[in-house]
Amino acid sequence: MQAKPSLRGDGARTRLLALCLLAATAWSGEPHATEPKMASDPQTRVARWQALLRQPGLDDWDKLIRVNRFFNQLRQQDDRLTWGMNDYWASPEELLRAGAGDCEDFAIAKYQTLLALGLAAEQLRLVTTRAYSPRKRTIERHMVLTFQASPGATVWVLDNLVPEIVALDMRHDLARIQTVAGSLAQGERHTRTEE
């Protein structure tokens, strides 16, 4: 089980904790022992997501872990195969019904689910990056969700390609291009380029 780091502080201690968590976590490709394996039928997947939205008493770290693990059980798949078009940003329910999606679909599903669970929009960012793909040995565009509890605190990355939540400063494979913020539930997009 991924340990709960402090979501407030920053610095060498937090980076060391994140590195230890990353090194100590052996990923078997199976869901966490307390979480059911992702269902094969769309209705059950959607029902389990709706049950996740109703779980009481979770602290922010528990919400992050559960949402990340829940969606990361789905298949990574190109939009052309899933939706029959070059680029499509699916809703969480569409992703669950399809059982597969691309990085934007995963990041948006996590973002909207965490908002529904009560995390503040100011704490969450959809971040477009360039990520190194060891499988293809190329650098590709990629989207992740980040969480920052408060200004100056550690930025944590929720990524469909990496099973655990890792501090951004430990993700040397990512180079941020821009941050996408706003109310995606309303179909509205705001972008802010960051340096």
Side-chain angles (χ1 to χ4, degrees):
M1 178 172 181
Q2 188 168 351
K4 291 182 186 180
S6 167
L7 296 179
R8 296 195 197 313
D10 204 7
R13 183 175 168 202
T14 303
R15 286 189 295 278
L16 178 60
L17 175 62
L19 181 59
C20 290
L21 285 172
L22 186 60
T25 303
W27 177 250
S28 66
E30 295 298 319
H32 192 266
T34 61
E35 298 168 19
K37 188 172 179 177
M38 185 62 75
S40 60
D41 70 289
Q43 290 77 19
T44 303
R45 287 193 296 262
V46 171
R48 287 187 181 164
W49 172 61
Q50 291 168 339
L52 174 64
L53 292 173
R54 293 187 303 271
Q55 286 190 346
L58 299 176
D59 65 26
D60 287 352
W61 190 248
D62 285 331
K63 291 173 186 177
L64 293 167
I65 290 171
R66 287 176 190 244
V67 168
N68 194 56
R69 285 186 176 146
F70 178 79
F71 284 105
N72 281 1
Q73 294 179 65
L74 298 170
R75 260 186 355 268
Q76 163 76 23
Q77 184 170 282
D78 189 270
D79 280 341
R80 289 178 294 257
L81 294 171
T82 310
W83 309 109
M85 56 184 76
N86 285 335
D87 197 28
Y88 181 77
W89 287 17
S91 71
E93 189 168 339
E94 289 173 317
L95 172 62
L96 290 166
R97 289 196 184 285
D102 68 2
C103 57
E104 291 105 349
D105 301 330
F106 282 86
I108 291 166
K110 292 173 187 182
Y111 174 81
Q112 290 182 343
T113 301
L114 288 165
L115 286 178
L117 287 169
L119 269 67
E122 300 80 42
Q123 296 176 310
L124 300 169
R125 293 287 180 258
L126 294 165
V127 180
T128 303
T129 68
R130 292 205 186 279
Y132 176 71
S133 170
R135 182 174 50 94
K136 295 181 180 178
R137 295 184 180 170
T138 60
I139 296 176
E140 301 176 345
R141 275 181 138 359
H142 185 53
M143 183 179 278
V144 297
L145 177 66
T146 63
F147 170 83
Q148 185 175 29
S150 60
T154 300
V155 176
W156 297 94
V157 179
L158 289 78
D159 187 348
N160 65 301
L161 301 179
V162 176
E164 298 297 332
I165 299 168
V166 180
L168 179 61
D169 61 1
M170 301 305 296
R171 290 292 308 271
H172 303 290
D173 59 320
L174 299 178
R176 181 169 41 199
I177 299 172
Q178 74 179 176
T179 300
V180 180
S183 175
L184 293 174
Q186 304 297 322
E188 183 180 323
R189 269 198 229 167
H190 302 286
T191 60
R192 180 180 74 221
T193 301
E194 304 214 359
E195 313 216 11

